[in-house]
Amino acid sequence: MRRRRRAPGASDSPPAGRSWRPPQRPRSTGGLQELRDLLETHGARPRRTLGQNFLIDPNFALAVAREACADQRTLAIEVGPGAGALTRPLLDASPEARLLAIELDPRLASLLRSLFAGEIAAGRLTILEGDVLATKH
């Protein structure tokens, strides 16, 4: 797909009759190295036995959080929050909503408790340590 060239002097304003909002920028650029540093600082690392995969794209996390459309009556459940890449955007996108995060890895649960101590104290975030699939049957 080709990009159109912008005419000299053209602005970023929307065409007449259309609304436009500037895109929301993530707080951090995220990335693999930042995740590695965070995990290393807290003595954690991905374990294959747990099938761990980590979200490192902050734009994707923001898009998911915006689509959640949570309000004060919402209790969102995040299974396997890992290092909190989606947790923070979910809490920021819906300040009235509550979030229940269920993490199997005790090292990551400890990391989350330290990263989100304020939200836990305010009652907006609850972290459960355990296997969400243990109650499947």
Side-chain angles (χ1 to χ4, degrees):
M1 191 167 173
R2 289 184 166 178
R3 289 186 125 170
R4 292 183 181 180
R5 287 188 180 185
R6 192 182 315 184
S11 70
D12 285 335
S13 60
R18 291 193 184 171
S19 62
W20 179 82
R21 291 185 315 197
Q24 213 175 3
R25 298 275 183 221
R27 282 188 196 176
S28 99
T29 57
L32 187 56
Q33 190 58 49
E34 186 178 320
L35 174 64
R36 285 181 178 156
D37 293 344
L38 179 66
L39 293 176
E40 185 178 322
T41 302
H42 288 83
R45 65 176 197 212
R47 296 195 308 192
R48 289 184 188 187
T49 57
L50 297 178
Q52 293 175 324
N53 292 284
F54 292 87
L55 176 62
I56 59 173
D57 183 352
N59 293 314
F60 182 76
L62 282 172
V64 170
R66 278 193 299 259
E67 290 297 317
C69 299
D71 60 20
Q72 68 272 11
R73 298 172 301 179
T74 303
L75 171 63
I77 299 174
E78 183 181 10
V79 177
L86 181 58
T87 309
R88 170 59 56 208
L90 283 170
L91 291 168
D92 289 348
S94 306
E96 310 86 26
R98 293 171 298 132
L99 179 61
L100 171 63
I102 306 169
E103 178 57 59
L104 177 60
D105 190 333
R107 295 166 303 161
L108 292 177
S110 174
L111 180 147
L112 290 167
R113 286 187 189 98
S114 67
L115 290 176
F116 297 100
E119 289 82 356
I120 293 170
R124 294 190 56 222
L125 174 64
T126 303
I127 298 174
L128 294 181
E129 206 174 306
D131 186 355
V132 75
L133 294 177
T135 59
K136 182 178 176 184
H137 298 286

